Amino acid sequence: MHVLLTNDDGINAQGIQALWKAIAEIATVTVVAPDVERSATSQAITVHHPIRVDRHCIENPAICAWRIGGTPTDCVKIALEALLPAAPDIVVSGINHGPNLGTDVLYSGTVSAAIEAAMHRLPAIAVSLDNGNPFEFETAAQFTRRLLLEMPHHSLPPNTLLNVNIPSLQGDKIQGVAITKLGVRRYENTFERRQDPRGRIYYWMGGQVADEEDDPATDVTAIKNGKISITPIHFDLTNYGIIQEVRNWNLSFN
Amino acid sequence: MHVLLTNDDGINAQGIQALWKAIAEIATVTVVAPDVERSATSQAITVHHPIRVDRHCIENPAICAWRIGGTPTDCVKIALEALLPAAPDIVVSGINHGPNLGTDVLYSGTVSAAIEAAMHRLPAIAVSLDNGNPFEFETAAQFTRRLLLEMPHHSLPPNTLLNVNIPSLQGDKIQGVAITKLGVRRYENTFERRQDPRGRIYYWMGGQVADEEDDPATDVTAIKNGKISITPIHFDLTNYGIIQEVRNWNLSFN
């Protein structure tokens, strides 16, 4: 099995390093990851600037990776279209430092990288670890390895990928695995207004989870209950249910 | 009617200026838009840097806007949560210079701004003009005004917004209005490898439409046929159809 591994926390993040090592035990791994943290970049692509690419080697394990001066989606595009001699069997994005639940996935660079892979018709998973002190990366790495061994026995519909969130608990504290739908997470993005030394205004975007639903079928609830959450997601945003109704609007033009 | 207007081509772009003037004839318009071009930024948000905010006035019409040192999604968030004293009746994003069709919408800053508005439970539309020489902004502005007058007579389901694409034709050449689903547009992102004067490698992301389907129900086909396309989209990425099947996978852990 050949795995393309990327993330949005950057190539030196603890999450991708833990996953790299765990997957290397069962597969060939090619890492193509951002040079620095690129979280909250959604599916942004770099079209107005050149994209730097260089090799980045670490000693333990003694392996080399591609370090990319771009977004997670850039990483997947450039890996598949310029760097790799052949397509990988699967693309894995993570381990993200922090959860990507419900509507969060829309902002997530980690999930967007996996969506980009699915757009290239490849199996893909995004893996995120809930906040914890400490972050239990080993639990997330081991479960992802387990999932990678299971996936070849199944096929997902085209355009579909798996969004995986893992509680930050030691393995024996995990309460099971739930296959979920995306929940809703609303933020209060308390913007904080400040003035710089020259009198000019700027804002910081804060952001705290304001309310979460308690629908038992969602990813949000699964994580709250100490379960690993797997949500099958796709990228067809069409709301088919409403098309016929909008056809009845009066929108004649000329 | 109070309209919040934003875009991803920046506050000085021709598209937003044309729309601003057309909507001002029927509504109160507040413009909160990026300082410079921010296309292809998807739903990225600015959390690692401060966001500059200042007032930007133009003379004809003599009105002032908010100019934001951030992404289109930042603009919607900061407008709704910090700048506007009350929520607008609708959020309009555009007119984008170039189409946002099919899978393109995932990369689009224009569409993402409208998605952000829908996440705030507001009616929202994204408006994009197909490439043309010249760009027929007036056609797009006039149709958007027509749509804004129609929308208060209907209600859309929660989480649903309209993605509007308009052919770059003079008004009397428009072949009608089609309510569509998102099509598929595949790109060849021909990456071009170069060397800088110091011998270091960089790439430019090119990108040409490689194939488009010809399903008559899609936005891609509507635009090809000279029709205005309106696609109702939502932001629930869950693939409900596959949840039950994934529950049968063997994913026990510990």
XYZ file of all heavy atoms in Angstrom, chain A residues 37 39-40 42-45 48 50-52 74 77 81 107 116 119 121 146 150 160 171 174 177 179 182 186 189 196 200 202-203 205 232-234 237-239 242 247 249-251 254, chain B residues 37 39-40 42-45 48-52 74 77 81 107 116 119 121 146 150 154 160 171 174 177 179 182 186 189 196 200 202-203 205 232-234 237-239 242 247 250-251 254:
780
model
N 2.522 26.069 9.733
C 1.113 25.857 10.037
C 0.223 26.594 9.043
O 0.438 27.769 8.754
C 0.793 26.338 11.458
C -0.650 25.985 11.814
C -1.090 26.461 13.190
O -0.239 26.731 14.042
O -2.324 26.558 13.387
N -3.403 26.179 9.261
C -4.751 25.799 9.681
C -5.755 26.879 9.301
O -5.392 28.033 9.054
C -4.785 25.517 11.184
O -4.273 26.594 11.903
N -7.030 26.483 9.213
C -8.142 27.387 8.843
C -8.007 27.950 7.435
O -8.562 28.984 7.119
C -8.296 28.519 9.862
N -9.049 26.256 4.784
C -10.102 25.669 3.965
C -9.489 25.050 2.710
O -8.410 24.461 2.770
C -11.146 26.741 3.653
O -12.301 26.191 3.069
N -10.183 25.157 1.575
C -9.632 24.543 0.355
C -8.926 25.588 -0.518
O -8.898 25.479 -1.757
C -10.741 23.808 -0.420
C -10.178 22.692 -1.296
C -11.226 21.700 -1.759
O -12.315 21.638 -1.211
N -10.898 20.917 -2.769
N -8.351 26.604 0.106
C -7.619 27.637 -0.636
C -6.499 27.022 -1.464
O -5.871 26.045 -1.051
C -7.046 28.662 0.340
N -6.259 27.606 -2.636
C -5.134 27.207 -3.478
C -4.292 28.429 -3.802
O -4.768 29.562 -3.747
C -5.603 26.514 -4.785
C -6.644 27.374 -5.524
C -6.161 25.130 -4.482
C -7.091 26.780 -6.861
N -1.650 32.970 -7.083
C -1.065 34.294 -7.334
C 0.401 34.371 -6.929
O 1.040 35.406 -7.114
C -1.859 35.371 -6.597
C -3.302 35.403 -6.970
N -3.720 35.690 -8.244
C -4.432 35.154 -6.249
C -5.044 35.633 -8.285
N -5.499 35.300 -7.101
N 4.247 31.960 -6.552
C 4.893 30.674 -6.824
C 4.867 29.802 -5.564
O 4.752 30.314 -4.449
C 6.322 31.067 -7.193
C 6.531 32.433 -6.671
C 5.194 33.086 -6.540
N 4.944 28.503 -5.762
C 4.910 27.556 -4.648
C 6.301 26.943 -4.492
O 6.808 26.287 -5.406
C 3.872 26.438 -4.921
C 2.477 27.052 -5.105
C 3.870 25.410 -3.791
C 1.425 26.056 -5.572
N 6.917 27.167 -3.342
C 8.241 26.602 -3.060
C 8.118 25.117 -2.743
O 7.201 24.700 -2.029
C 8.874 27.291 -1.852
C 9.328 28.700 -2.116
C 10.659 28.677 -2.846
N 11.122 30.035 -3.126
C 12.128 30.299 -3.933
N 12.789 29.316 -4.557
N 12.504 31.531 -4.149
N -2.895 22.688 -1.961
C -1.734 22.767 -2.860
C -0.895 21.492 -2.764
O -0.422 20.967 -3.774
C -0.810 23.937 -2.475
C -1.393 25.316 -2.754
O -2.282 25.434 -3.619
O -0.941 26.268 -2.087
N -2.538 18.610 -4.631
C -2.493 18.855 -6.082
C -1.077 18.632 -6.626
O -0.886 17.936 -7.616
C -2.913 20.299 -6.396
C -4.408 20.521 -6.493
C -4.666 21.939 -7.025
C -6.127 22.312 -6.997
N -6.944 21.585 -7.977
N 0.000 15.719 -9.166
C 0.141 16.177 -10.546
C 1.572 16.490 -10.958
O 1.854 16.641 -12.141
C -0.754 17.394 -10.771
C -2.218 17.048 -10.560
C -3.149 18.244 -10.686
O -2.763 19.226 -11.316
O -4.265 18.166 -10.140
N -13.999 25.039 7.237
C -12.826 25.904 7.381
C -11.522 25.115 7.383
O -10.446 25.679 7.272
C -12.886 26.673 8.708
C -14.157 27.442 8.917
C -15.068 27.083 9.894
C -14.448 28.551 8.118
C -16.238 27.791 10.082
C -15.618 29.269 8.301
C -16.505 28.877 9.280
O -17.663 29.576 9.465
N -9.825 17.288 -1.648
C -9.075 17.439 -2.905
C -8.674 16.063 -3.455
O -8.762 15.813 -4.661
C -7.835 18.306 -2.677
C -7.013 18.578 -3.923
C -7.764 19.401 -4.971
O -8.584 20.263 -4.609
O -7.519 19.159 -6.172
N -11.568 14.451 -4.992
C -11.831 15.069 -6.298
C -10.938 14.463 -7.375
O -11.282 14.471 -8.549
C -11.641 16.581 -6.220
C -12.750 17.262 -5.424
S -12.445 19.013 -5.091
C -12.668 19.723 -6.716
N -10.413 11.388 -7.415
C -10.952 10.020 -7.456
C -10.104 9.015 -6.681
O -9.985 7.850 -7.063
C -11.113 9.551 -8.912
C -11.944 10.526 -9.743
C -12.082 10.100 -11.181
N -12.539 11.248 -11.991
C -13.048 11.161 -13.210
N -13.180 9.993 -13.789
N -13.428 12.240 -13.877
N -5.320 1.044 11.946
C -6.379 0.021 11.933
C -7.342 0.262 10.769
O -7.723 -0.653 10.042
C -7.116 0.102 13.280
C -8.344 -0.758 13.438
C -7.995 -2.127 13.962
N -9.141 -3.036 13.868
C -9.554 -3.599 12.738
N -8.935 -3.363 11.606
N -10.598 -4.412 12.744
N -8.390 -1.830 7.164
C -9.762 -2.252 6.885
C -10.258 -1.732 5.524
O -11.023 -2.409 4.826
C -10.680 -1.754 8.011
C -12.157 -2.108 7.862
C -12.470 -3.606 8.040
O -11.581 -4.323 8.516
O -13.590 -4.020 7.674
N -16.683 10.378 -2.260
C -16.909 10.238 -0.818
C -15.604 9.935 -0.097
O -14.791 9.146 -0.576
C -17.944 9.133 -0.546
O -19.180 9.525 -1.147
C -18.158 8.922 0.937
N -5.839 4.678 24.604
C -6.597 3.687 23.839
C -7.646 2.928 24.641
O -8.779 2.741 24.181
N -11.164 4.615 25.179
C -12.052 4.898 24.041
C -13.345 4.087 24.189
O -13.314 2.886 24.455
C -11.339 4.542 22.718
C -10.136 5.466 22.489
C -12.308 4.578 21.523
C -10.470 6.884 22.127
N -16.605 3.036 18.451
C -16.516 3.751 17.169
C -17.942 4.014 16.682
O -18.752 3.086 16.612
C -15.761 2.910 16.126
C -15.694 3.639 14.793
C -14.355 2.557 16.631
N -20.380 5.626 13.555
C -20.484 6.173 12.198
C -21.573 7.241 12.263
O -22.728 6.936 12.590
C -20.830 5.087 11.159
C -19.951 3.841 11.363
C -20.706 5.643 9.749
C -18.453 4.081 11.298
N -22.541 14.816 10.173
C -21.966 16.069 10.667
C -22.985 16.792 11.541
O -24.147 16.925 11.167
C -21.573 16.992 9.511
C -20.451 16.520 8.590
C -20.261 17.519 7.448
C -19.145 16.343 9.346
N -21.782 26.012 16.519
C -21.810 27.456 16.287
C -20.776 28.140 17.170
O -20.566 27.770 18.301
C -23.200 28.017 16.562
C -24.197 27.498 15.564
C -25.519 28.234 15.594
N -26.476 27.481 14.815
C -26.534 27.490 13.479
N -25.718 28.248 12.787
N -27.413 26.746 12.837
N -17.686 34.407 17.395
C -16.360 34.829 16.947
C -16.012 36.190 17.524
O -15.576 37.078 16.824
C -16.291 34.875 15.423
C -16.171 33.488 14.834
O -17.127 32.959 14.325
N -15.006 32.892 14.931
N -3.325 50.115 16.967
C -1.868 49.946 16.962
C -1.202 51.246 17.428
O -1.878 52.259 17.630
C -1.378 49.459 15.588
C -1.388 50.538 14.518
O -1.485 51.736 14.856
O -1.284 50.182 13.336
N -4.021 53.131 14.237
C -4.858 52.433 13.257
C -5.540 51.220 13.899
O -5.011 50.583 14.805
C -4.021 52.012 12.045
C -3.548 53.213 11.223
C -2.684 52.779 10.057
N -3.380 51.844 9.191
C -2.763 50.922 8.434
N -1.447 50.811 8.458
N -3.452 50.106 7.670
N -7.246 47.517 14.273
C -7.233 46.137 13.803
C -8.080 45.284 14.741
O -8.413 45.712 15.849
C -5.808 45.591 13.675
C -5.040 45.492 14.968
C -4.987 44.293 15.677
C -4.343 46.582 15.486
C -4.280 44.183 16.864
C -3.635 46.484 16.666
C -3.606 45.286 17.356
O -2.904 45.194 18.536
N -8.439 44.112 14.262
C -9.261 43.195 15.048
C -8.558 41.836 15.134
O -7.910 41.413 14.187
C -10.618 42.965 14.370
C -11.606 44.100 14.494
C -11.489 45.240 13.700
C -12.671 44.032 15.383
C -12.415 46.280 13.788
C -13.605 45.054 15.483
C -13.468 46.180 14.686
O -14.385 47.192 14.780
N -9.683 37.861 15.505
C -10.814 36.945 15.530
C -10.597 35.961 16.667
O -9.593 35.241 16.689
C -10.930 36.185 14.203
C -12.237 35.402 14.076
S -12.299 34.334 12.601
C -12.217 35.534 11.278
N -18.914 9.743 6.805
C -18.700 9.770 5.360
C -19.181 11.119 4.817
O -20.321 11.506 5.056
C -19.566 8.620 4.836
C -20.501 8.264 5.940
C -20.034 8.894 7.207
N -18.297 11.841 4.130
C -18.711 13.132 3.560
C -18.440 13.132 2.061
O -17.636 12.344 1.554
C -18.016 14.340 4.255
C -16.495 14.301 4.086
C -18.362 14.382 5.735
C -15.790 15.521 4.695
N -19.147 14.003 1.351
C -18.903 14.152 -0.089
C -18.860 15.638 -0.410
O -18.990 16.471 0.486
C -19.956 13.403 -0.909
C -21.351 13.880 -0.705
N -22.407 13.424 -1.433
C -21.866 14.793 0.170
C -23.510 14.019 -1.034
N -23.201 14.845 -0.071
N -22.431 19.954 -3.252
C -23.179 20.874 -2.390
C -24.602 21.131 -2.882
O -25.351 21.868 -2.237
C -22.435 22.209 -2.285
C -20.990 22.182 -1.788
C -20.456 23.606 -1.668
C -20.877 21.489 -0.446
N -24.991 20.567 -4.012
C -26.337 20.835 -4.535
C -27.408 20.444 -3.517
O -27.370 19.356 -2.959
C -26.581 20.022 -5.824
O -25.513 20.260 -6.735
C -27.908 20.410 -6.465
N -28.362 21.321 -3.284
C -29.528 20.959 -2.476
C -30.631 20.505 -3.432
O -31.484 21.291 -3.859
C -29.980 22.142 -1.629
C -31.103 21.746 -0.676
O -31.706 20.687 -0.830
N -31.383 22.589 0.296
N -34.672 21.190 -3.312
C -35.331 22.490 -3.497
C -35.336 22.950 -4.960
O -35.986 23.945 -5.305
C -34.622 23.538 -2.578
C -35.424 24.868 -2.501
C -33.217 23.830 -3.063
C -36.656 24.756 -1.664
N -37.715 26.439 -9.433
C -38.146 26.566 -10.844
C -39.468 27.315 -10.969
O -39.789 27.841 -12.031
C -38.278 25.171 -11.479
C -36.906 24.556 -11.755
C -36.951 23.408 -12.768
N -35.572 22.987 -13.038
C -35.104 21.748 -12.897
N -35.916 20.756 -12.555
N -33.837 21.476 -13.140
N -40.220 30.013 -9.261
C -40.058 31.445 -9.017
C -40.216 32.206 -10.334
O -39.966 31.658 -11.407
C -38.673 31.739 -8.441
C -38.423 31.210 -7.065
C -39.128 30.246 -6.390
C -37.355 31.601 -6.189
N -38.567 30.018 -5.163
C -37.475 30.835 -5.001
C -36.307 32.522 -6.271
C -36.592 30.970 -3.935
C -35.425 32.653 -5.211
C -35.572 31.890 -4.049
N -40.583 33.458 -10.205
C -40.723 34.285 -11.404
C -39.415 35.001 -11.700
O -39.143 36.082 -11.169
C -41.854 35.301 -11.209
C -41.972 36.230 -12.403
O -41.434 35.947 -13.486
N -42.665 37.340 -12.215
N -38.596 34.381 -12.528
C -37.257 34.922 -12.787
C -37.011 35.189 -14.263
O -35.879 35.191 -14.724
C -36.189 33.950 -12.256
C -36.130 33.840 -10.736
C -35.228 32.712 -10.320
C -35.671 35.162 -10.127
N -35.389 39.402 -19.618
C -35.512 39.972 -20.976
C -36.650 39.315 -21.752
O -37.340 38.429 -21.269
C -34.203 39.927 -21.796
C -33.852 38.548 -22.358
O -34.728 37.757 -22.711
N -32.560 38.249 -22.411
N -7.345 41.609 -4.046
C -7.904 40.367 -4.573
C -7.602 39.197 -3.651
O -6.469 39.026 -3.206
C -7.329 40.076 -5.966
C -8.023 38.870 -6.583
C -7.469 38.444 -7.927
O -6.798 39.242 -8.591
O -7.699 37.282 -8.299
N -8.995 35.904 -4.461
C -9.673 34.801 -5.122
C -8.984 33.484 -4.781
O -7.823 33.452 -4.375
C -9.727 35.024 -6.632
O -8.465 35.270 -7.147
N -9.737 32.400 -4.918
C -9.263 31.042 -4.632
C -8.900 30.831 -3.169
O -8.128 29.956 -2.818
C -8.088 30.650 -5.527
N -11.188 30.067 -0.905
C -12.156 29.152 -0.320
C -12.766 29.779 0.936
O -12.988 30.995 0.973
C -11.485 27.805 -0.052
O -12.419 26.809 0.302
N -13.031 28.964 1.972
C -13.632 29.530 3.184
C -12.584 29.780 4.266
O -12.860 29.713 5.466
C -14.774 28.621 3.686
C -15.800 29.389 4.524
C -17.099 28.648 4.709
O -17.384 27.694 4.021
N -17.903 29.088 5.657
N -11.372 30.100 3.839
C -10.299 30.395 4.791
C -10.676 31.550 5.705
O -11.360 32.488 5.291
C -9.013 30.734 4.034
N -10.228 31.472 6.952
C -10.418 32.566 7.909
C -9.064 32.953 8.492
O -8.130 32.170 8.494
C -11.400 32.186 9.043
C -10.992 30.854 9.708
C -12.826 32.100 8.510
C -11.877 30.458 10.890
N -4.521 33.717 12.622
C -3.141 33.842 13.105
C -2.578 35.250 12.945
O -1.453 35.513 13.350
C -2.231 32.857 12.368
C -2.666 31.433 12.518
N -2.708 30.805 13.735
C -3.110 30.525 11.619
C -3.131 29.560 13.573
N -3.395 29.367 12.296
N -3.326 36.129 12.289
C -2.890 37.518 12.103
C -4.038 38.438 12.489
O -5.196 38.043 12.404
C -2.543 37.788 10.633
C -1.527 36.859 10.085
N -0.185 37.002 10.318
C -1.655 35.755 9.327
C 0.473 36.022 9.718
N -0.393 35.247 9.107
N -3.705 39.676 12.858
C -4.787 40.635 13.089
C -5.432 41.018 11.752
O -4.819 40.886 10.702
C -4.061 41.830 13.715
C -2.631 41.669 13.361
C -2.379 40.214 13.109
N -6.665 41.461 11.801
C -7.413 41.841 10.603
C -7.571 43.358 10.598
O -8.173 43.931 11.502
C -8.805 41.166 10.602
C -8.651 39.636 10.636
C -9.622 41.600 9.383
C -9.968 38.886 10.845
N -7.011 43.992 9.574
C -7.129 45.446 9.440
C -8.519 45.816 8.947
O -9.077 45.156 8.061
C -6.119 45.965 8.412
C -4.700 45.948 8.898
C -4.458 47.147 9.780
N -3.091 47.129 10.284
C -2.673 47.905 11.286
N -3.511 48.746 11.871
N -1.434 47.847 11.685
N -13.838 36.220 6.266
C -13.573 37.198 7.333
C -14.526 38.390 7.219
O -15.036 38.884 8.233
C -12.143 37.759 7.213
C -11.053 36.766 7.546
O -11.316 35.792 8.271
O -9.907 36.981 7.072
N -17.993 37.510 8.480
C -17.970 37.317 9.934
C -17.862 38.651 10.666
O -18.615 38.934 11.596
C -16.774 36.447 10.335
C -17.005 34.947 10.242
C -15.801 34.208 10.861
C -15.864 32.720 10.633
N -16.928 32.056 11.403
N -20.689 40.279 13.003
C -20.435 40.121 14.435
C -19.792 41.342 15.087
O -19.733 41.418 16.305
C -19.564 38.880 14.656
C -20.278 37.623 14.170
C -19.438 36.366 14.304
O -18.495 36.363 15.108
O -19.741 35.385 13.589
N -13.395 26.018 -4.179
C -12.216 26.884 -4.059
C -12.591 28.362 -3.957
O -11.768 29.209 -3.646
C -11.311 26.736 -5.293
C -10.912 25.325 -5.598
C -11.378 24.674 -6.734
C -10.057 24.636 -4.752
C -11.009 23.377 -7.023
C -9.686 23.335 -5.031
C -10.157 22.709 -6.165
O -9.791 21.423 -6.441
N -20.873 31.344 4.322
C -20.713 31.869 5.683
C -21.980 32.607 6.134
O -22.424 32.462 7.277
C -19.503 32.802 5.738
C -19.194 33.359 7.119
C -18.787 32.279 8.124
O -18.132 31.293 7.722
O -19.132 32.418 9.321
N -24.552 30.173 7.033
C -24.248 29.593 8.343
C -24.727 30.507 9.468
O -24.981 30.052 10.578
C -22.752 29.314 8.465
C -22.316 28.145 7.589
S -20.516 27.943 7.487
C -20.153 27.371 9.148
N -27.485 31.920 9.246
C -28.942 31.822 9.057
C -29.547 33.004 8.302
O -30.688 33.402 8.557
C -29.648 31.642 10.415
C -29.087 30.458 11.202
C -29.757 30.273 12.545
N -28.944 29.410 13.391
C -29.349 28.796 14.491
N -30.583 28.943 14.915
N -28.540 28.027 15.184
N -32.946 41.987 -10.166
C -34.223 41.296 -10.416
C -34.441 40.164 -9.393
O -35.524 40.016 -8.831
C -34.155 40.721 -11.835
C -35.290 39.838 -12.283
C -36.407 40.646 -12.923
N -37.607 39.827 -13.095
C -38.427 39.485 -12.105
N -38.205 39.894 -10.864
N -39.497 38.752 -12.354
N -37.256 39.430 -6.230
C -38.086 38.224 -6.205
C -37.938 37.453 -4.884
O -38.895 36.841 -4.392
C -37.701 37.319 -7.391
C -38.487 36.021 -7.514
C -39.961 36.201 -7.898
O -40.342 37.318 -8.309
O -40.720 35.221 -7.762
N -40.310 34.359 -1.364
C -40.092 32.926 -1.176
C -39.243 32.714 0.066
O -38.599 33.627 0.544
C -39.363 32.334 -2.391
C -40.010 32.683 -3.690
N -41.092 31.997 -4.187
C -39.739 33.669 -4.582
C -41.458 32.543 -5.341
N -40.652 33.558 -5.606
N -29.469 26.865 3.126
C -29.443 26.849 1.663
C -29.257 28.257 1.114
O -29.829 29.221 1.623
C -30.744 26.227 1.125
O -30.801 24.869 1.565
C -30.787 26.255 -0.394
N -27.763 41.807 -22.279
C -29.027 41.308 -21.734
C -29.922 40.625 -22.758
O -30.495 39.566 -22.495
N -29.259 36.847 -23.638
C -29.415 35.789 -22.620
C -30.523 34.821 -23.044
O -31.609 35.245 -23.440
C -29.746 36.425 -21.245
C -28.558 37.253 -20.733
C -30.153 35.361 -20.222
C -27.365 36.480 -20.266
N -33.292 31.432 -18.009
C -32.791 31.154 -16.656
C -33.017 29.672 -16.354
O -34.133 29.183 -16.509
C -33.528 32.018 -15.604
C -33.019 31.703 -14.206
C -33.379 33.504 -15.921
N -32.636 26.524 -13.477
C -32.355 26.116 -12.096
C -31.649 24.768 -12.207
O -32.206 23.806 -12.733
C -33.641 26.003 -11.254
C -34.532 27.238 -11.475
C -33.301 25.809 -9.782
C -33.887 28.571 -11.156
N -25.061 21.345 -9.463
C -23.641 21.562 -9.727
C -23.127 20.474 -10.657
O -23.387 19.287 -10.441
C -22.827 21.531 -8.429
C -23.089 22.638 -7.414
C -22.243 22.392 -6.155
C -22.766 24.005 -7.986
N -13.267 19.383 -14.386
C -11.952 18.895 -13.996
C -10.873 19.760 -14.616
O -10.994 20.186 -15.747
C -11.768 17.438 -14.418
C -12.675 16.535 -13.636
C -12.390 15.067 -13.796
N -13.490 14.317 -13.251
C -13.695 14.098 -11.956
N -12.841 14.526 -11.057
N -14.756 13.420 -11.543
N -4.039 20.815 -13.691
C -3.325 21.894 -13.015
C -1.855 21.882 -13.397
O -0.984 21.971 -12.546
C -3.484 21.785 -11.504
C -4.856 22.235 -11.045
O -5.700 21.428 -10.747
N -5.071 23.534 -11.024
N 14.862 29.633 -9.378
C 15.115 31.061 -9.181
C 16.596 31.359 -9.389
O 17.400 30.436 -9.589
C 14.584 31.516 -7.811
C 15.441 31.077 -6.646
O 16.592 30.653 -6.864
O 14.953 31.153 -5.502
N 17.136 27.752 -6.468
C 16.081 27.071 -5.716
C 14.842 26.862 -6.587
O 14.529 27.656 -7.461
C 15.732 27.853 -4.446
C 16.870 27.824 -3.419
C 16.542 28.685 -2.224
N 15.314 28.235 -1.567
C 14.532 29.027 -0.841
N 14.831 30.301 -0.695
N 13.426 28.550 -0.275
N 10.887 26.390 -7.603
C 9.508 26.764 -7.294
C 8.601 26.327 -8.425
O 9.066 25.996 -9.517
C 9.382 28.264 -7.010
C 9.701 29.165 -8.173
C 8.691 29.658 -8.989
C 11.012 29.555 -8.457
C 8.967 30.497 -10.059
C 11.300 30.388 -9.522
C 10.275 30.861 -10.325
O 10.554 31.677 -11.371
N 7.318 26.289 -8.150
C 6.324 25.884 -9.142
C 5.256 26.969 -9.269
O 4.920 27.628 -8.297
C 5.620 24.596 -8.709
C 6.434 23.325 -8.851
C 7.428 23.001 -7.927
C 6.200 22.437 -9.890
C 8.160 21.823 -8.041
C 6.929 21.256 -10.013
C 7.903 20.958 -9.085
O 8.624 19.787 -9.209
N 1.232 27.132 -10.248
C 0.043 26.351 -10.548
C -0.661 26.988 -11.743
O -1.032 28.166 -11.689
C -0.911 26.333 -9.350
C -2.047 25.315 -9.515
S -3.304 25.398 -8.204
C -2.359 24.992 -6.735
N -29.322 25.943 -6.180
C -29.455 25.975 -4.721
C -28.406 25.056 -4.108
O -28.321 23.882 -4.473
C -30.874 25.455 -4.461
C -31.320 24.792 -5.725
C -30.388 25.163 -6.835
N -27.571 25.594 -3.236
C -26.553 24.762 -2.589
C -26.702 24.853 -1.065
O -27.290 25.788 -0.548
C -25.118 25.132 -3.022
C -24.742 26.558 -2.630
C -24.941 24.954 -4.533
C -23.297 26.925 -2.987
N -26.190 23.847 -0.396
C -26.199 23.866 1.063
C -24.825 23.416 1.553
O -23.941 23.127 0.755
C -27.322 23.015 1.637
C -27.237 21.571 1.295
N -28.071 20.622 1.811
C -26.399 20.891 0.461
C -27.759 19.443 1.327
N -26.753 19.583 0.514
N -22.179 18.417 4.303
C -21.386 17.527 3.455
C -21.622 16.038 3.754
O -21.043 15.184 3.093
C -19.891 17.831 3.616
C -19.420 19.256 3.331
C -17.904 19.345 3.451
C -19.848 19.729 1.957
N -22.434 15.726 4.740
C -22.655 14.316 5.079
C -23.180 13.534 3.880
O -24.102 13.965 3.203
C -23.688 14.186 6.226
O -23.298 15.016 7.312
C -23.792 12.735 6.697
N -22.589 12.381 3.600
C -23.137 11.473 2.593
C -24.031 10.456 3.316
O -23.583 9.370 3.691
C -22.015 10.779 1.826
C -22.560 9.943 0.689
O -23.756 9.680 0.632
N -21.690 9.530 -0.223
N -24.511 6.441 2.671
C -23.491 5.409 2.881
C -23.283 5.091 4.367
O -22.574 4.142 4.726
C -22.165 5.849 2.204
C -21.129 4.719 2.150
C -21.556 7.042 2.916
C -21.450 3.659 1.154
N -21.296 1.298 8.813
C -21.519 0.688 10.147
C -21.206 -0.805 10.153
O -20.969 -1.387 11.207
C -22.971 0.924 10.604
C -23.195 2.367 11.015
C -24.480 2.576 11.818
N -24.514 3.985 12.247
C -25.541 4.815 12.063
N -26.655 4.372 11.510
N -25.472 6.067 12.465
N -15.585 -3.629 9.903
C -15.024 -4.145 11.152
C -14.019 -3.144 11.708
O -12.844 -3.156 11.357
C -14.347 -5.490 10.896
C -13.697 -6.024 12.155
O -13.976 -5.551 13.268
N -12.808 -6.994 11.998
N -14.500 -2.265 12.580
C -13.642 -1.187 13.082
C -13.526 -1.196 14.601
O -13.274 -0.168 15.215
C -14.180 0.168 12.616
C -14.036 0.415 11.112
C -14.799 1.653 10.709
C -12.564 0.543 10.734
N -9.842 -1.534 20.600
C -9.552 -1.969 21.974
C -10.610 -2.941 22.502
O -11.543 -3.300 21.809
C -9.357 -0.797 22.968
C -10.658 -0.142 23.422
O -11.695 -0.789 23.550
N -10.593 1.151 23.634
